Amino acid sequence: MAGDESAETETLAHLLGRRILMDGPISVGAFMAEALGHPRLGYYIRQDPFGSGGDFTTAPEISQMFGELVGLWCVDSWARLGGPGPFHLVELGPGRGTLMADILRAAAVLPLFRDNAIVHLVETSPVLRERQRRTLQPVLGDAVQWHDRLEDVPDGPTILIANEFFDALPIRQVQKTSHGWFERLVDLAPDSTESDPRFRFVLEAFGSSGSRLVPDALRDAPDGSVVEVSPASQAVARLIGTRLAAAPGAALAIDYGYAQGPAVGDTLQALRRHAFAPVLEAPGEADLTAHVDFAGIAAAAREGGAQSFGPVEQGEWLTRLGIHQRASSLMTKATPAQARDIQSAMDRLIDPAQMGRLFKLVALATPGAFADDTPPAGF
Ligand code: SAH
């Protein structure tokens, strides 16, 4: 991008404003990719956005129980794959490293799992890599490998986890009009100036991308409908499928989204300091996410060669994995105040009105690889 080297005070909005001025409107996907991942000014690149002082809180940050149960799932899956010697324990988008630390602690139930795990973190943010290093140092020492992309993780048996990773991958949006499907693009608003760039949504001038991107099942949706597709998520899911077809393994994708997708609806949202913000207002300063199309992820992974299970709602899955028992056991050693915290964390994770229903899981596995030929735990 031109002008990238300029003054520190220049914001991502300035850069995107100049890019649109020179090249014309950009796709929602390009806007999202820059807002989250611009190498210097992207949202995830600049800061640690998690926790009560940040912009949002994820399940592993709510309670250790979440990561422990995911850890038991990993151990169980690995054991049922026949415990295939050294294997790659891969996490996509590990945030603060909390989930991986909890997985490894829970995995103490099967020391062979720990001894054979080679930990790989796929993370683009230098700030978060440093944070992950600090979290995992006491558990793993320096035995962690970081990669920018899943493609860079060596081949071989794999257990892979992705929590709230797919919702951060760019989506593209298309809209139905009386003249057919058009892609939604981000343009400069009429009142935009070079020093104070402002953005708005427009439709592409000719409907070639729109009609190419819209899924066949939704082609006849009513005028005005917006449909989201995520070629980036599809590509990652297909790659996971290819990995699992080539060597024994299992993967777990946890996120918020719709089970029967792709669906009609504009789900792109910005979160800043735990509140919704206008999505185009401050690129790089707010988290941008969209609902995940679980059926699409599962289908892409199957195309790659994996078997898929689910989606299952998070509340259901955590209950099947034993969150109530785990909470009771933690409470026996807790003060009354701690016991209340454990209870409210569990409620937040499983209550259908909180994260229990909106969040879902899909499991992927090497076809026929589980020794007993039953689904992965909780599916
Ligand atoms: N799994 C963590 C963090 C979720 S936030 C948790 O549950 O707390 C999304 C994470 O994905 C962050 O670590 C972010 O830096 C990373 N990320 C976002 N886009 C990415 C990309 N394209 N490639 C690799 N990592 C990415």
Side-chain angles (χ1 to χ4, degrees):
M1 196 189 298
D4 244 23
E5 313 306 326
S6 23
E8 286 286 328
T9 52
E10 186 161 69
T11 63
L12 186 57
H14 290 117
L15 293 185
L16 288 173
R18 266 210 313 280
R19 170 167 165 189
I20 293 170
L21 189 66
M22 283 186 282
D23 297 345
I26 59 176
S27 72
V28 172
F31 184 88
M32 198 173 165
E34 293 287 352
L36 296 180
H38 181 278
R40 192 163 42 85
L41 299 169
Y43 176 75
Y44 280 114
I45 308 299
R46 296 171 8 160
Q47 69 214 322
D48 170 357
F50 303 101
S52 52
D55 293 312
F56 60 93
T57 305
T58 57
E61 304 296 334
I62 291 172
S63 165
Q64 68 183 72
M65 293 184 285
F66 181 82
E68 288 168 350
L69 295 174
V70 172
L72 292 183
W73 186 92
C74 293
V75 170
D76 178 68
S77 298
W78 184 74
R80 287 208 272 153
L81 288 164
F87 70 102
H88 302 299
L89 178 58
V90 183
E91 185 176 357
L92 307 181
R96 288 179 162 178
T98 310
L99 176 55
M100 183 54 82
D102 291 341
I103 289 174
L104 291 168
R105 199 180 53 253
V109 296
L110 187 62
L112 262 183
F113 177 97
R114 281 280 304 261
D115 295 347
N116 281 292
I118 307 159
V119 175
H120 299 271
L121 304 179
V122 176
E123 173 61 69
T124 38
S125 163
V127 175
L128 289 174
R129 279 188 183 198
E130 173 54 24
R131 181 70 209 226
Q132 291 151 17
R133 195 189 61 73
R134 276 191 280 135
T135 306
L136 292 169
Q137 177 85 34
V139 196
L140 281 175
D142 293 326
V144 184
Q145 300 179 39
W146 279 273
H147 310 274
D148 282 329
R149 308 171 317 151
L150 177 59
E151 284 87 328
D152 303 330
V153 177
D155 294 338
T158 298
I159 300 286
L160 180 145
I161 302 296
N163 185 59
E164 291 212 47
F165 172 75
F166 284 100
D167 68 44
L169 296 187
I171 54 147
R172 294 174 73 175
Q173 293 184 324
V174 295
Q175 189 165 11
K176 177 81 176 292
T177 75
S178 55
H179 300 291
W181 288 93
F182 291 78
E183 181 164 14
R184 268 180 122 189
L185 304 174
V186 179
D187 197 0
L188 293 170
D191 60 349
S192 182
T193 62
E194 196 161 348
S195 60
D196 184 19
R198 289 166 191 259
F199 305 97
R200 65 165 175 173
F201 290 109
V202 296
L203 292 183
E204 63 175 336
F206 302 99
S208 62
S209 305
S211 55
R212 184 167 41 76
L213 287 171
V214 66
D216 281 338
L218 296 174
R219 210 166 271 281
D220 295 329
D223 286 2
S225 302
V226 172
V227 171
E228 296 172 342
V229 291
S230 179
S233 296
Q234 300 276 312
V236 174
R238 200 171 303 115
L239 190 63
I240 295 172
T242 318
R243 273 192 84 87
L244 297 178
L252 192 61
I254 313 162
D255 226 305
Y256 79 106
Y258 30 77
Q260 304 301 334
V264 167
D266 176 358
T267 72
L268 184 63
Q269 65 182 33
L271 264 186
R272 207 173 174 183
R273 309 244 161 259
H274 298 265
F276 292 111
V279 290
L280 301 181
E281 190 176 75
E285 286 164 45
D287 186 34
L288 282 184
T289 65
H291 276 41
V292 168
D293 169 9
F294 281 95
I297 299 260
R302 286 195 303 271
E303 267 171 48
Q307 195 177 355
S308 70
F309 303 87
V312 172
E313 290 175 3
Q314 177 170 295
E316 179 90 40
W317 189 82
L318 288 172
T319 300
R320 289 180 189 162
L321 270 275
I323 193 167
H324 288 92
Q325 292 80 347
R326 182 67 187 128
S328 306
S329 124
L330 287 173
M331 282 178 193
T332 56
K333 288 171 244 148
T335 65
Q338 287 168 333
R340 277 195 301 277
D341 286 349
I342 294 166
Q343 180 69 45
S344 80
M346 178 171 76
D347 291 346
R348 199 163 158 197
L349 292 172
I350 66 173
D351 182 347
Q354 302 191 59
M355 295 173 80
R357 177 157 295 155
L358 179 60
F359 280 74
K360 300 176 182 71
L361 298 92
V362 162
L364 309 166
T366 308
F370 278 12
D372 53 4
D373 213 21
T374 54
F379 287 85

